[in-house]
Amino acid sequence: MPKALPLALHGLHFFYRFLSPGLPGLAVRLMWQTFRPRRRPLRAEQSQLLAGAELFSFTSAGALTSKTIRLQGYRWGTGPRTVLLVHGWEGNPADFRELVPGLLRQGYAVAAFDLPAHGRSEGAETNLVEMKQALVDYTHFAGQPYAVVAHSLGGTAAALLLQDAAAPVEKFVFVASPLSAPDAFEMVFTQLQVPQSVRRRFYQRLARHLRQPVEDIAFAPVERLRAHRLLAVYDATDERVVFERVQLYLAANAAIEPLVVSGVGHNRLLRHAPVVQRITDFIEA
């Protein structure tokens, strides 16, 4: 998150810093609502990319509920090998608009879909467990892709997919991805100055909802990720990830090729020309 607190969050910041210790139940309920994704309107250039895609849809059976939802997919090109793009929280497939043309020129088919509760897909809320399940259901529908390129929490969900995949993908690129569910939450908690007591209550409720400890939802060591080659892309100044943890993870998993830049930004990484070129070259190599 940026250093300057967005205007819309000033009220939450005041509440969590000064009032939430005396109202922990309300604080947790409010935080639960804060982490529901908002469907953001598309910009003109994003709409243009999606308008040129072949549409498809498939269903995903809720990992935590018995509810089945329809997910909206997009496909470009007809190449024999498919690169699957996975957007991040409150993102959409058009976030990859700078990357798609290069992959198509290299002869790949490119596929993406709106994650649950995003874009034109169904659902009112989602989480990493449901996002992973959507990726599992995509592979059942379309088959295992040749490569996966994923941004932010989409990369975390894709890593969870690859830990349990029946067959490996050839390439996996994760861009600005938190290494665990707590890492993603803690960046927001720190910015809003949420007291530790409220954080503990939130994690307890979330663990009950997810039916597993929250800290277990994390990147595995590289030997457990079913991908032949991996590329990690980060901005060292990105305040939406815990970069110190990223450095430790990459040092302990030397088989992952790193690309670290500075001063680009969490979302702008996907539009930064040197990053786009490196990802394109990595997929083609």
Side-chain angles (χ1 to χ4, degrees), residues 1 84-89 96 115 128 131 135 148-163 172-187 217-220 225 230-250 256-261 265-270 275 279:
M1 284 199 171
L84 175 65
L85 308 178
V86 186
H87 69 76
W89 190 260
F96 296 92
L115 288 166
L128 279 168
M131 291 162 67
L135 291 168
V148 177
V149 181
H151 178 237
S152 193
L153 274 182
T156 317
L160 297 175
L161 167 77
L162 293 178
Q163 288 170 199
F172 175 38
V173 181
F174 53 99
V175 181
S177 297
L179 294 178
S180 70
D183 281 358
F185 288 119
E186 286 299 320
M187 302 306 289
I217 304 174
F219 268 70
L225 295 175
L230 300 93
L231 172 66
V233 180
Y234 284 91
D235 181 340
T237 61
D238 184 354
E239 294 187 344
R240 297 193 191 181
V241 298
V242 185
F243 188 65
E244 293 79 5
R245 290 247 301 121
V246 171
Q247 290 176 302
L248 291 173
Y249 179 78
L250 294 178
I256 301 175
E257 301 175 38
L259 172 60
V260 178
V261 300
H266 186 79
N267 292 323
R268 289 198 304 274
L269 276 171
L270 292 179
V275 168
I279 293 174

Side-chain angles (χ1 to χ4, degrees), residues 13-285:
H13 174 261
F14 179 85
F15 173 80
Y16 283 113
R17 183 178 183 184
F18 298 108
L19 302 179
S20 65
L23 299 166
L26 176 60
V28 170
R29 290 194 298 273
L30 183 58
M31 185 58 71
W32 198 266
Q33 294 302 314
T34 300
F35 286 116
R36 296 183 70 171
R38 294 161 292 176
R39 298 179 192 261
R40 299 185 180 275
L42 296 175
R43 296 188 294 274
E45 63 271 21
Q46 293 177 312
S47 296
Q48 183 177 7
L49 176 67
L50 298 184
E54 174 190 352
L55 301 181
F56 66 90
S57 65
F58 64 101
T59 58
S60 181
L64 303 173
T65 69
S66 58
K67 185 177 180 180
T68 296
I69 60 174
R70 184 193 63 82
L71 303 180
Q72 178 64 60
Y74 310 86
R75 185 182 293 110
W76 299 266
T78 58
R81 297 182 296 182
T82 297
V83 178
L84 175 65
L85 308 178
V86 186
H87 69 76
W89 190 260
E90 296 186 349
N92 67 81
D95 292 340
F96 296 92
R97 61 189 179 278
E98 302 296 335
L99 181 63
V100 171
L103 294 174
L104 293 177
R105 285 194 296 271
Q106 291 179 339
Y108 294 100
V110 179
F113 63 91
D114 293 323
L115 288 166
H118 288 75
R120 295 164 62 184
S121 288
E122 295 178 344
E125 61 181 53
T126 193
N127 52 62
L128 279 168
V129 173
E130 298 290 4
M131 291 162 67
K132 174 199 172 183
Q133 185 61 46
L135 291 168
V136 170
D137 291 330
Y138 168 82
T139 63
H140 292 164
F141 166 79
Q144 190 82 322
Y146 170 77
V148 177
V149 181
H151 178 237
S152 193
L153 274 182
T156 317
L160 297 175
L161 167 77
L162 293 178
Q163 288 170 199
D164 299 327
V169 299
E170 189 64 29
K171 311 282 179 67
F172 175 38
V173 181
F174 53 99
V175 181
S177 297
L179 294 178
S180 70
D183 281 358
F185 288 119
E186 286 299 320
M187 302 306 289
V188 179
F189 289 158
T190 299
Q191 189 179 32
L192 294 178
Q193 295 185 274
V194 178
Q196 289 295 331
S197 59
V198 174
R199 300 185 195 196
R200 286 194 296 271
R201 287 177 67 122
F202 177 84
Y203 284 134
Q204 288 167 0
R205 174 174 174 176
L206 185 60
R208 290 193 299 271
H209 179 69
L210 300 179
R211 304 171 192 168
Q212 60 182 299
V214 180
E215 58 271 18
D216 289 354
I217 304 174
F219 268 70
V222 66
E223 60 269 16
R224 288 184 51 203
L225 295 175
R226 304 295 307 280
H228 292 304
R229 289 186 61 193
L230 300 93
L231 172 66
V233 180
Y234 284 91
D235 181 340
T237 61
D238 184 354
E239 294 187 344
R240 297 193 191 181
V241 298
V242 185
F243 188 65
E244 293 79 5
R245 290 247 301 121
V246 171
Q247 290 176 302
L248 291 173
Y249 179 78
L250 294 178
N253 295 275
I256 301 175
E257 301 175 38
L259 172 60
V260 178
V261 300
S262 181
V264 176
H266 186 79
N267 292 323
R268 289 198 304 274
L269 276 171
L270 292 179
R271 305 192 298 275
H272 187 55
V275 168
V276 172
Q277 188 61 55
R278 178 71 180 93
I279 293 174
T280 305
D281 292 344
F282 177 80
I283 296 298
E284 179 62 11

